[in-house]
Amino acid sequence: MKQKLLALVCALALVVSLAGCVISTPDTVGSLGDYEISSGLYLLAQYDAYQKAADLASSDQDAANVKAFLKQTITVDSDSGETATVSDYVARKTLENLQTYAATELRFDELGGQLTAEEEQQADSYAQQLMDQYGDTYKANGIGLETVQHFERILLKSNDLLTLVYGNGGETPVSDADLTEHLENNMVELAYYVVPLYNTSTYAFADDDQKAQMLSLAQTAVDTYTANAPTDNTDLQLSTFTQAVSSALPDIYAVLGSTPSDTNVQTELLGSSTLDSTFTQSGSADTIRNLAYGQAAAVQYSSYAMMLALRLDPLSVASLDDLRDQVITDMKTSELKTALSDSGASLENHLDTSAMNKLPMTKIVNK
C-alpha cells in the first residue's frame, strides 16, 4: 500500500514538473526600432524565407524534408557561385523580411499615410482568399488569418508609399518630363491577340511544323496590316490591325482543329521587367520592344502561346495623369525597395532570441 501511494505521489510530482516546463508560444519576438514584431508575423517571414530557399534547391534536394534540407547547402547567387547552408540563409532572409516590414510601416506612418476603408477591405478579402486556398499550410505553420491580413496591409502600404514619396505632392515628386521619358523609352503599350499553341478542346500541343504554319499565317496578317496601316492615327491603326487579325484568326486556329473563342483585342501597358518575364521565348521581348509606334509583329512569346501585337503611343490611349501611378510603379519600385531595405537594416535590433528560439525553423511544415 505504501509503495502504491509512493508511486502515486511520484506520478503527481512528475505531472506538476512537466506542466511547469511547457513551452508557451510568445505573443511577440521583440521589436525593430519602435516596431513590435508579432509571433505570427515572425512565422510568416520565416516561412517566406524558407520558400525562397526551397526555390534555390537543386534537383536532388528535397525541401519537403525540412530538418534534412536545413542542414544542406544551396547556391544563393548563380553569378558569383556564393553558397550558404539553408538554415543560415533562412535566418538571414527572415531578418531581412522583418526589417522590410518594419521599415514599410514606419515610413508609411512618418509620411502620414492612411489606408482607405476600401484598401482595408481589399486586404481582408485577399487574405481570406489565401486562407481558403492555403489555410491548412498556414495553420500548420502557426500563421492565422489576422497575420495574413496584417501582411496584406503591409503590401498595400508599400504600394501607397510610391505615391507618398514620388507622386504629385509627395516627398520627392517625379517630374512630368521624367515620367514621360520613362514611359516612352521603357514601357510598351500593346494591342494584342493571344493564340494558344494547343487545341483548345483536346489540349494537344502543336508540333514544330504546326507552330511554323501558325506563325506564317499570323505574319501574313501582320503584313496585311502593315500594307494598309495609317502612320499617325492611333484609332485607325487599331481598327486596321483588328480587322486584319480578326480575318486571319479562324485559319490560324484551324491548323490545330480549333476555333477562336474570343476575337476581342486586348490592350495593356507593360513595363520592361514585365515584358521580359512575359515574353520568355528567345528574342521575343526584344522584337516587341523594338517596334515603333504603329508597327506590328507576330511572335511566339512562350512555350504555349503566340501573339499578334501592335505597339501604340501610350499617350494617345490615355493621359499622363491617368498613367502616372503605373509609370511611377515601374520607374521607382526598385529604388523604393532598396531604400526600405537600407532603412530596415539600420533599425535598432531588439529582437528577443529566447522568444525566437520557441519558434524554430525546424518546425516549418513544407508540403
Side-chain angles (χ1 to χ4, degrees):
M1 183 69 176
K2 288 183 178 179
Q3 289 179 336
K4 290 183 179 180
L5 182 59
L6 180 59
L8 178 59
V9 171
C10 289
L12 289 171
L14 179 60
V15 170
V16 173
S17 174
L18 289 174
C21 294
V22 170
I23 299 177
S24 60
T25 301
D27 292 331
T28 71
V29 294
S31 64
L32 290 168
D34 295 328
Y35 184 74
E36 189 172 64
I37 307 292
S38 69
S39 292
L41 196 61
Y42 176 81
L43 289 169
L44 183 62
Q46 183 173 253
Y47 181 73
D48 176 77
Y50 188 87
Q51 295 310 306
K52 287 184 171 68
D55 289 340
L56 298 173
S58 61
S59 58
D60 60 346
Q61 291 177 316
D62 182 11
N65 187 345
V66 175
K67 290 184 179 179
F69 185 53
L70 286 170
K71 298 175 184 177
Q72 296 171 8
T73 299
I74 53 175
T75 300
V76 298
D77 188 323
S78 58
D79 293 331
S80 67
E82 179 189 354
T83 62
T85 61
V86 174
S87 58
D88 287 346
Y89 178 84
V90 171
R92 174 163 60 86
K93 285 296 180 182
T94 299
L95 178 59
E96 290 176 1
N97 284 342
L98 294 174
Q99 289 171 336
T100 299
Y101 302 161
T104 299
E105 298 241 45
L106 293 171
R107 189 84 168 96
F108 188 77
D109 290 344
E110 177 188 355
L111 294 176
Q114 181 80 40
L115 291 181
T116 64
E118 182 180 359
E119 285 177 315
E120 291 183 349
Q121 184 178 11
Q122 177 186 341
D124 291 348
S125 175
Y126 191 58
Q128 186 61 60
Q129 291 178 44
L130 290 174
M131 292 300 292
D132 290 343
Q133 288 184 275
Y134 309 109
D136 291 343
T137 299
Y138 281 137
K139 290 172 185 176
N141 285 282
I143 302 164
L145 176 60
E146 186 176 344
T147 295
V148 181
Q149 290 173 331
H150 184 183
F151 176 70
E152 289 302 319
R153 281 170 166 75
I154 292 174
L155 292 182
L156 287 175
K157 289 177 181 180
S158 177
N159 185 64
D160 286 354
L161 274 173
L162 287 164
T163 301
L164 290 171
V165 176
Y166 305 111
N168 280 341
E171 186 178 54
T172 54
V174 181
S175 70
D176 285 0
D178 287 343
L179 286 174
T180 301
E181 181 181 7
H182 183 86
L183 174 63
E184 293 177 343
N185 295 330
N186 297 281
M187 304 183 76
V188 177
E189 178 79 37
L190 288 183
Y192 63 88
Y193 293 84
V194 171
V195 179
L197 293 172
Y198 54 84
N199 182 293
T200 52
S201 298
T202 66
Y203 298 101
F205 272 85
D207 59 29
D208 288 344
D209 289 341
Q210 289 170 323
K211 290 178 185 177
Q213 186 180 355
M214 294 171 75
L215 281 168
S216 177
L217 290 169
Q219 185 59 50
T220 298
V222 168
D223 293 342
T224 298
Y225 160 76
T226 302
N228 297 282
T231 58
D232 58 358
N233 186 306
T234 297
D235 289 339
L236 287 177
Q237 288 169 349
L238 184 56
S239 63
T240 304
F241 176 74
T242 299
Q243 183 176 358
V245 175
S246 296
S247 298
L249 284 178
D251 289 339
I252 296 173
Y253 275 81
V255 173
L256 296 178
S258 298
T259 56
S261 58
D262 183 5
T263 57
N264 293 320
V265 67
Q266 307 293 316
T267 58
E268 189 170 358
L269 178 63
L270 302 176
S272 183
S273 61
T274 303
L275 194 64
D276 288 331
S277 63
T278 302
F279 290 77
T280 55
Q281 289 294 109
S282 177
S284 60
D286 287 338
T287 297
I288 297 299
R289 189 180 282 112
N290 291 331
L291 292 174
Y293 296 157
Q295 289 185 337
V299 297
Q300 180 181 344
Y301 78 93
S302 72
S303 60
Y304 56 84
M306 57 180 283
M307 179 181 288
L308 296 91
L310 168 68
R311 186 174 184 182
L312 302 173
D313 177 358
L315 291 177
S316 69
V317 176
S319 70
L320 184 62
D321 280 339
D322 290 335
L323 300 174
R324 185 178 304 277
D325 288 348
Q326 190 173 350
V327 180
I328 287 175
T329 297
D330 189 72
M331 185 178 182
K332 291 295 187 178
T333 292
S334 179
E335 181 179 313
L336 178 64
K337 184 177 179 181
T338 298
L340 291 173
S341 177
D342 292 344
S343 176
S346 70
L347 293 172
E348 195 168 341
N349 190 327
H350 298 295
L351 294 176
D352 185 344
T353 302
S354 64
M356 292 188 293
N357 286 341
K358 295 177 182 178
L359 306 168
M361 62 183 73
T362 55
K363 297 294 186 182
I364 291 172
V365 177
N366 186 48
K367 297 181 179 179

